[in-house]
């Protein structure tokens, strides 16, 4: 049974019903229909992201992640981290008030800076540890370019491999840009030489991510998650199945 029922979604967020149903199909496809997991959304707030905020693409991503999270977690809320040079906001988006939520968050923020992954990663790690959660977590981490401190980002990812966190990176923008070479290398960091388990995935959503269908997006968001769950259980990072 889903963590949040279809009826509850219909009552609290009717605009997300279609996304909720589509997410359920993908979860079943990958054998995750009974999984309980926390879901995080990390969004790039660097200057080059301005068009994606303006045209509603970031809000659309938040809605899609919320539709997925409703199957995995029972509180109807996704913790959200916006980052640029520093961490700009640590807040949340919920089923009951998802409409225009990203716009309201951004309205309270200042200058859009550069891109620094590791500070956002640290914010997620702190939030997860402080929450006292026992379930694994899927971290949807969106960006439109490489970080200003690549070594720090790699170190954080490798250290986080000991925690019940899987980092699914999504690229927005020109798929041929060299900006994403780092993320491809991060995705392929060797195990066990660099990290305990393969705790990250990466896919590119293109220059117009809104054109990616819900079904395709959900398949990419969770496609590598089952392999990580198996590896994390084998290493004792998350408990074995009951």
């Amino acid at each position: 049974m889903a963590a949040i029922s279809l009826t509850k979604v219909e009552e609290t967020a009717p605009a997300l019903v279609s996304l909720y149903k589509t997410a359920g199909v993908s979860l079943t496809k990958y054998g995750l229909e009974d999984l309980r997991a926390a879901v995080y959304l990390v969004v790039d707030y660097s200057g080059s992201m301005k068009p994606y905020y303006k045209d509603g693409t970031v809000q659309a991503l938040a809605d899609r992640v919320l539709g997925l999270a409703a199957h995995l977690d029972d509180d109807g809320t996704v913790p959200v981290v916006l980052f640029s040079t520093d961490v700009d906001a640590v807040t949340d988006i919920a089923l009951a008030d998802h409409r225009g939520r990203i716009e309201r968050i951004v309205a309270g923020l200042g200058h859009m800076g550069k891109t620094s992954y590791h500070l956002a990663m640290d914010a997620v790690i702190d939030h997860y540890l402080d929450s006292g959660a026992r379930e694994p977590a899927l971290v949807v981490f969106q960006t439109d370019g490489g970080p200003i401190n690549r070594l720090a980002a790699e170190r954080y990812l490798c250290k986080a491999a000991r925690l019940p966190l899987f980092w699914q990176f999504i690229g927005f923008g020109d798929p041929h840009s060299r900006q994403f070479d780092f993320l491809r290398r991060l995705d392929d960091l060797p195990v066990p030489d660099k990290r305990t388990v393969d705790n990250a995935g990466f896919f590119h959503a293109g220059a117009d991510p809104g054109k990616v269908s819900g079904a395709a997006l959900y398949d990419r968001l969770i496609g590598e998650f089952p392999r990580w769950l198996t590896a994390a259980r084998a290493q004792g990072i998350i408990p074995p199945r009951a």
Side-chain angles (χ1 to χ4, degrees):
M1 181 179 291
I4 294 178
S5 68
L6 173 60
T7 301
K8 182 69 171 178
V9 176
E10 289 172 338
E11 292 172 350
T12 57
L16 301 185
V17 167
S18 178
L19 293 173
Y20 175 86
K21 291 179 178 178
T22 303
V25 172
S26 288
L27 288 165
T28 299
K29 181 190 299 185
Y30 288 96
L32 300 176
E33 64 271 21
D34 296 321
L35 178 70
R36 291 295 166 267
V39 179
Y40 285 81
L41 175 61
V42 182
V43 187
D44 191 338
Y45 188 65
S46 62
S48 54
M49 281 289 297
K50 189 173 184 178
Y52 293 115
Y53 283 92
K54 188 175 181 180
D55 69 6
T57 299
V58 175
Q59 177 67 56
L61 175 64
D63 286 344
R64 288 175 166 192
V65 171
L66 196 54
L68 174 64
H71 286 275
L72 299 173
D73 205 351
D74 62 2
D75 64 1
T77 301
V78 172
V80 178
V81 175
L82 271 69
F83 74 97
S84 57
T85 310
D86 205 335
V87 173
D88 297 281
V90 179
T91 182
D92 57 57
I93 183 169
L95 286 172
D97 71 343
H98 72 96
R99 287 184 178 273
R101 176 62 176 144
I102 294 297
E103 184 178 352
R104 294 196 300 276
I105 295 170
V106 170
L109 303 183
H111 176 70
M112 300 177 82
K114 298 182 180 180
T115 309
S116 188
Y117 291 4
H118 70 284
L119 298 175
M121 297 173 78
D122 192 38
V124 170
I125 291 168
D126 283 349
H127 187 285
Y128 181 82
L129 294 176
D130 289 346
S131 75
R134 296 178 179 272
E135 296 82 9
L138 171 64
V139 184
V140 178
F141 194 114
Q142 180 277 326
T143 183
D144 72 341
I148 54 177
N149 191 330
R150 299 186 175 194
L151 182 58
E154 181 178 320
R155 283 177 174 169
Y156 267 79
L157 183 71
C158 292
K159 287 183 178 180
R162 303 184 187 95
L163 298 172
L165 302 170
F166 182 79
W167 306 81
Q168 180 58 65
F169 292 92
I170 307 176
F172 282 12
D174 180 0
H176 303 295
S177 171
R178 297 292 298 275
Q179 283 286 324
F180 298 103
D181 289 351
F182 172 75
L183 278 171
R184 295 184 180 97
R185 290 198 298 272
L186 205 63
D187 187 15
D188 293 332
L189 286 175
V191 175
D193 293 347
K194 286 279 191 176
R195 49 187 173 162
T196 308
V197 294
D198 181 352
N199 62 330
F202 169 67
F203 72 92
H204 202 289
D208 189 353
K211 291 183 177 178
V212 179
S213 71
L217 182 75
Y218 288 131
D219 281 353
R220 299 301 298 272
L221 284 180
I222 64 174
E224 294 190 47
F225 201 38
R227 291 197 296 273
W228 171 77
L229 289 168
T230 298
R233 288 189 182 104
Q235 292 289 337
I237 296 169
I238 58 176
R241 288 181 181 273

